[in-house]
Amino acid sequence: MSPVNLHGTVIALGGIGILIRGPSRSGKSALALSALRRAEMLGLSAALVADDQVFIEIREGQVEAVAPAPIRGLIEISGVGILHEASIDRIALQLVVDLCEPETLHRLPGVLRTAIAGTDLRLIVLPARQAAFSADVLVSLARGGAADFGLLEA
C-alpha cells in the first residue's frame, strides 16, 4: 500500500501514537503543543511526529504515522507562527482523537472505533478549541498506558 496523506496532527505520548483530526482552526496544533508540554512536566516521554499533514503507512501489520520530510519537527501555532519542536520520524498509531463542537459531544459515548488505512483504531471525541482540557485527558490516558482505561482494547 502506498502512503496515504491525511490532514491531522500526530504526537507520541508515553509511547502511544495519537492522531488528532478536526477541521481547520479546530485546535489540533494547540492540543498537540499543550499535551506535549504537560507530558514533559510529568516526566512522560513526548514528541511531535507531524503537524497538519501526515503520511499513513501499514508496516508489519501496524498503522504508522510518518512525518513528511519538509515539515518534520515543525508545528504551526496560530498567532505565533512556525515553531521547532522535539520530534520523532514515525510512530504506530493506537488512538485517534476527533475534535468537534462541544455541544455535539455525547456524555457517555461508549467505545468508538474508526478505520485508518483499513485498520480499526480506538477513537475518542474531544471538544474543539479547548486545548487545556483535552491535553489533560490525553496525558491522563498516556500516564495510565491507556490500556488501563480499556481505551485500546478491542
Side-chain angles (χ1 to χ4, degrees), residues 8 10 31 45 49 64 69 73 78 91 94 98-99 103 106 114-117 126 135 139-140 147 154:
V10 178
L31 170 53
S45 65
V49 178
E64 289 198 348
S78 294
I91 193 161
Q94 295 172 290
D98 278 347
L99 299 180
E103 62 273 7
H106 294 282
T114 189
I116 302 288
L126 294 172
V139 171
S140 294

Side-chain angles (χ1 to χ4, degrees), residues 9 25 28-30 33 48 51-52 74-83:
T9 296
R25 315 266 318 152
K28 295 178 296 294
S29 299
L33 189 64
L48 175 70
D51 182 46
D52 195 45
L74 302 176
I75 188 167
E76 179 184 352
I77 303 301
S78 294
V80 176
I82 307 293
L83 302 177

